[in-house]
Amino acid sequence: MRCLTCGDATSPEHNDCQRCHTPLGQPAVTPGLPTYRVRGIGLAATIAVGATAVFYLVVSLSPLIGIVLARRAMANDDTDLLLGAAVVGGLLALPMVVAHLTAAVLVIIWTWRARKNTDAFPGALPTLGAGWAIAGWLVPFANFVVPARVVAGVARDSLWRRFTPTLVVVWWCAWLVFSVGGRLTSRADEKAYDKLPETPFTDAGYQAYVDYYGDSLLRNALPAVACAVAAVTLILLIHRISAAQEARIAQAAPVWPTAAGWPAAPVWPAQPVPVAQSGPAAQPVPSGPAGPAVPATQSASDAQSVPAAQPASEGAPGAAPTV
């Protein structure tokens, strides 16, 4: 006997498949339970995650522009260049925020669908309900643990693992460093910027801006690296889980399967329905295998008195000559 999920040979010594952990005799997908497509939403989520990582790296490197403009402002004694550096940083941050919000929505939708699919997989052992795939990201303090647990359970049940895959651990650790480190870096930048002279009149004042952008570049280095690692690992997870779930859902059997090789039921052609007409003329009932047609208005006794057709006699007008 072979497993209906992965196709490996099974043994009666075990209650489930030793590869995919599907109970013996169970189908790949439980009939009657809903499943959801995850490949399309997963592709959209990976694009948004990748765009967020690229925009965040650009924002993290934007202090380089500030350093260049601050040095030119010091050389030319032009304070407008300092204002231009702040404007450039804000413009670069705008598409990153939009991409980040889009990625968050798409990842949450994908996580919910992937978690709901595991309910239809025999042998799956989910530890949290599907609602936590959404609430886990929104509830304060719980969002430090719950999303990782949901994704870890989905990865185990979809990729046939007894233990949490390493990719999940790497992704969540990198995400925490990026999330917490990014907030701390942003607050440190705000405090340092408030200490700068509003209008520098000396080289020391301009140099303070140069030092500020240099320190900001160093502070953003760790969150930027963590963002890149988190994005790459999450993209890999979404791709692998989506492919595994789509392949398993494609093996789903109908609720009432038919035995292989049984002939299909014959389809009989529709028979015309007799229609009775008012008046002297009536439509005849179509003749069947039992005999000639009987007019619809004729009774059964009259039908029995109808003489059988006689063969044409020799010499009768219109009759064919006999040989």
Side-chain angles (χ1 to χ4, degrees):
M1 181 178 181
R2 292 190 173 275
C3 176
L4 299 180
T5 300
C6 65
D8 279 9
T10 58
S11 172
E13 298 178 358
H14 305 283
N15 295 326
D16 56 1
C17 175
Q18 296 302 293
R19 181 186 178 193
C20 65
H21 315 297
T22 301
L24 298 185
Q26 292 293 322
V29 179
T30 303
L33 293 182
T35 56
Y36 302 86
R37 301 296 299 270
V38 291
R39 189 182 298 275
I41 189 69
L43 177 60
T46 55
I47 294 175
V49 168
T52 302
V54 171
F55 286 133
Y56 188 82
L57 292 178
V58 171
V59 172
S60 300
L61 296 176
S62 63
L64 291 174
I65 301 176
I67 293 174
V68 174
L69 293 179
R71 288 177 178 176
R72 288 185 179 180
M74 181 172 56
N76 301 326
D77 193 16
D78 186 0
T79 56
D80 292 338
L81 292 176
L82 297 178
L83 179 60
V87 171
V88 169
L91 292 177
L92 292 177
L94 182 60
M96 187 273 294
V97 173
V98 174
H100 194 184
L101 293 177
T102 304
V105 173
L106 293 176
V107 169
I108 289 175
I109 296 175
W110 175 86
T111 306
W112 182 85
R113 289 188 178 185
R115 170 59 189 83
K116 286 291 290 183
N117 285 341
T118 59
D119 290 337
F121 295 165
L125 300 173
T127 57
L128 294 175
W132 284 108
I134 301 175
W137 291 97
L138 305 177
V139 178
F141 300 106
N143 52 12
F144 287 98
V145 179
V146 174
R149 291 190 58 190
V150 174
V151 175
V154 172
R156 288 193 301 267
D157 295 333
S158 303
L159 303 177
W160 308 338
R161 307 288 181 85
R162 284 299 190 189
F163 302 98
T164 301
T166 306
L167 272 178
V168 178
V169 178
V170 175
W171 160 66
W172 192 245
C173 292
W175 166 258
L176 290 179
V177 173
F178 160 67
S179 181
V180 177
R183 295 179 183 178
L184 295 178
T185 298
S186 179
R187 292 181 182 179
D189 286 344
E190 292 178 0
K191 291 181 179 180
Y193 191 84
D194 292 339
K195 296 180 181 179
L196 294 175
E198 185 175 352
T199 304
F201 296 100
T202 62
D203 290 346
Y206 287 107
Q207 186 62 40
Y209 278 87
V210 175
D211 295 339
Y212 160 77
Y213 286 114
D215 294 340
S216 178
L217 183 64
L218 294 177
R219 284 191 292 264
N220 289 328
L222 181 60
V225 173
C227 177
V229 174
V232 172
T233 51
L234 181 58
I235 289 174
L236 291 175
L237 278 172
I238 292 176
H239 174 72
R240 294 180 182 180
I241 292 174
S242 299
Q245 288 197 355
E246 290 279 353
R248 184 164 183 168
I249 292 173
Q251 299 177 3
V255 179
W256 301 107
T258 57
W262 283 15
V267 179
W268 301 102
Q271 297 294 333
V273 180
V275 179
Q277 294 182 351
S278 60
Q283 292 292 337
V285 179
S287 60
V294 180
T297 56
Q298 187 176 2
S299 63
S301 59
D302 295 337
Q304 294 177 358
S305 62
V306 176
Q310 298 295 329
S313 60
E314 235 182 312
T322 58
V323 180

